[in-house]
Amino acid sequence: MIRRFSLLATLLAGGCMAASAPPVPVAPPTASTPFTTRAAASIAPVPDQWWYLFDDPQLDKLVQASLAANADLRVAYANLDAARAAIRQADAARLPQPIIESSLGVDNPSGQPSAANVSASDYDVAATISWDIDLFGRLRSGALAARADADALAAALDGVRVAIVADTVLAYVDLCGATRNGRIARKIVATQERNLKGVQEQYRAGELSPLEVSQAASLLASSRATLPSFDAAREGARYRLATLQGLPPTDARIATIDCAALPRLTGAAPVGDGAALLLRRPDIREAERKLASATAGIGVARAELYPKINLGGALGLLSGGFAATASPLISWAFPNQAPARARIAQAQARERVALANWDGAVLRALREVETALATTQAEAQRNAALAKATDEAALYARRTASRARLGDVSPLLAIDAERTQATAALAEAQSDLLLSQSYVALFRALGGGWQAAPQPLDPARPIG
């Protein structure tokens, strides 16, 4: 008997030990240092609302509208509400569970030959209570896991906000870029139309051959062929802005959005350092909270090795008389604990998976920022070179046209100069767009934009 109590005491003591703490994630040394030095970036902290750096009030309104009405955000909020309800359920399971029961029965003695022909009724009412005292932390670990899951979904919600902000800014940049590039292309087409008319007049005057006319006509046709793609890109950007705001793609409010110039930063992009990145990126926080949830799951699985002790009682009127009962209920899967130990092994494996996912999230975040920095810096250098090339091409075209009018050079050379100028102008315009897009990709990688976001619209309300 003493041995039995000693064994039970040992199991109780082992079960009452605190659940194992989650492993401490260790970030690589480069995560706490500044990013690679780039002329296009500075070590200033990333602002919460980074799109304000573009100084475009219309863009600010579009971002706020997307954060308030985006459908993906509503899904994320609903998932978070469900997780918070699971926390309340887990907390409530640790409290005593009272239940009130009642019943009413009518006995019909007419079918019994020896009974009087008088109906009788029984009314019973009772209150029962059940309490899992959770000596071994099963419910406590479950509550910790529920909280960690809710925190992970809150981080996932912030990640959706980051994506929504970046997608909205990118769609606006694409709209501005397509509008600007289309305007440049139309200007080039108009210039080449005038040149073609001049060449045709010279041909009719016998000064030029059909070769020069065909060359000018071919250049004009090639330039006209670029116009439809700019128009399609502009409309596609408007459609994206509409759906990001929870509106139909062809909504009239979006059709009026236009912009005169590409959003550009006036200085170097503030990127902070690696330590601030790890604190700011929602996906890293989500991975850490999933790791905490997996660790709490080990506590839930380990508690299955020990007895479940439930205190129960009932009080009420039963069959016309007062009755009260109380009894503990102990259930224990023993000695076959192989299923419980298998569940522990599964939970420990899930913890290792979560830890590896955290490591991957950190490395992926650092890689994305460094890649975006390199891309932005390279495009900034390319943009500066293309701007110089455009100026030189314009000068070359003017000089060639002047000499062609004087008859010093062949008209074909002047037409080739026009082609060079058009190509350089469109290449610079496209580089301007790519540079703005690279800044958006950089801020997306930095993980800003989820702080102080507005509450989304009520899902029960219609969109639009």
Side-chain angles (χ1 to χ4, degrees):
M1 181 66 69
I2 295 177
R3 290 182 178 178
R4 292 179 182 175
F5 281 115
S6 298
L7 176 60
L8 181 59
T10 301
L11 291 172
L12 292 176
C16 291
M17 291 190 301
S20 58
V24 179
V26 179
T30 54
S32 58
T33 60
F35 298 110
T36 304
T37 303
R38 307 282 183 183
S42 70
I43 60 173
V46 180
D48 292 344
Q49 297 173 314
W50 55 265
W51 56 94
Y52 283 178
L53 296 172
F54 292 116
D55 194 20
D56 191 326
Q58 182 172 232
L59 174 60
D60 301 340
K61 293 179 181 178
L62 291 172
V63 171
Q64 292 302 313
S66 295
L67 288 175
N70 185 265
D72 291 337
L73 279 176
R74 286 166 42 185
V75 172
Y77 262 95
N79 289 333
L80 181 56
D81 286 342
R84 287 171 175 169
I87 293 177
R88 296 193 295 271
Q89 179 182 1
D91 289 338
R94 302 176 63 186
L95 301 175
Q97 306 296 316
I99 300 175
I100 297 177
E101 299 176 338
S102 64
S103 65
L104 175 63
V106 178
D107 297 331
N108 184 8
S110 59
Q112 303 177 12
S114 60
N117 193 18
V118 178
S119 299
S121 62
D122 292 330
Y123 182 76
D124 300 333
V125 60
T128 62
I129 188 168
S130 174
W131 181 26
D132 189 334
I133 60 176
D134 195 31
L135 284 178
F136 309 106
R138 177 175 56 86
L139 299 179
R140 181 171 63 252
S141 297
L144 291 174
R147 283 184 172 81
D149 289 336
D151 291 341
L153 285 173
L157 169 62
D158 292 338
V160 174
R161 285 171 170 155
V162 171
I164 294 304
V165 169
D167 288 344
T168 301
V169 178
L170 184 60
Y172 184 74
V173 165
D174 290 346
L175 171 62
C176 297
T179 302
R180 178 172 177 264
N181 292 351
R183 189 180 299 117
I184 293 174
R186 285 180 172 81
K187 184 178 178 180
I188 292 173
V189 167
T191 300
Q192 291 173 353
E193 286 175 344
R194 291 193 299 269
N195 291 340
L196 177 60
K197 289 180 180 179
V199 170
Q200 289 173 338
E201 291 176 358
Q202 289 180 295
Y203 168 70
R204 286 191 291 268
E207 299 175 0
L208 298 177
S209 68
L211 177 62
E212 287 83 359
V213 177
S214 299
Q215 189 80 0
S218 174
L219 181 60
L220 174 60
S222 298
S223 298
R224 282 176 174 169
T226 63
L227 297 180
S229 61
F230 295 129
D231 295 338
R234 184 176 63 253
E235 294 305 313
R238 285 200 177 101
Y239 298 155
R240 286 156 55 198
L241 286 172
T243 54
L244 284 166
Q245 297 180 29
L247 299 171
T250 57
D251 189 271
R253 286 166 287 184
I254 301 298
T256 59
I257 296 176
D258 206 348
C259 57
L262 273 169
R264 295 288 294 267
L265 296 184
T266 56
V271 299
D273 57 19
L277 174 71
L278 299 188
L279 295 175
R280 185 174 54 250
R281 285 266 301 218
D283 57 336
I284 295 177
R285 180 158 39 94
E286 180 184 2
E288 188 276 329
R289 289 289 80 200
K290 287 183 177 179
L291 174 59
S293 175
T295 303
I298 296 177
V300 174
R302 184 176 289 128
E304 298 295 328
L305 292 174
Y306 308 103
K308 297 179 183 178
I309 303 176
N310 187 284
L311 300 180
L315 179 68
L317 296 174
L318 303 175
S319 301
F322 180 81
T325 61
S327 64
L329 175 62
I330 300 177
S331 60
W332 189 12
F334 186 82
N336 181 17
Q337 294 190 319
R341 296 191 182 279
R343 285 190 289 269
I344 293 175
Q346 292 174 351
Q348 290 172 338
R350 285 192 290 267
E351 182 190 51
R352 294 194 299 272
V353 170
L355 179 59
N357 285 335
W358 185 91
D359 290 338
V362 171
L363 295 176
R364 183 170 57 252
L366 295 172
R367 182 204 66 201
E368 289 176 355
V369 173
E370 292 288 3
T371 301
L373 282 171
T375 301
T376 302
Q377 180 64 32
E379 192 57 45
Q381 294 173 347
R382 177 174 176 267
N383 186 259
L386 286 173
K388 184 177 180 180
T390 300
D391 293 339
E392 293 294 335
L395 180 60
Y396 170 55
R398 288 195 301 270
R399 289 175 175 175
T400 305
S402 298
R403 295 186 65 179
R405 284 193 296 269
L406 296 174
D408 291 344
V409 297
S410 170
L412 289 178
L413 186 61
I415 294 174
D416 183 72
E418 288 287 345
R419 178 190 296 107
T420 302
Q421 182 183 13
T423 302
L426 286 177
E428 182 188 6
Q430 186 64 25
S431 177
D432 290 340
L433 175 59
L434 291 175
L435 184 58
S436 294
Q437 291 173 340
S438 67
Y439 278 117
V440 176
L442 174 60
F443 285 115
R444 182 197 291 265
L446 290 169
W450 55 267
Q451 304 91 333
Q455 184 83 6
L457 297 177
D458 185 352
R461 294 172 53 188
I463 302 176

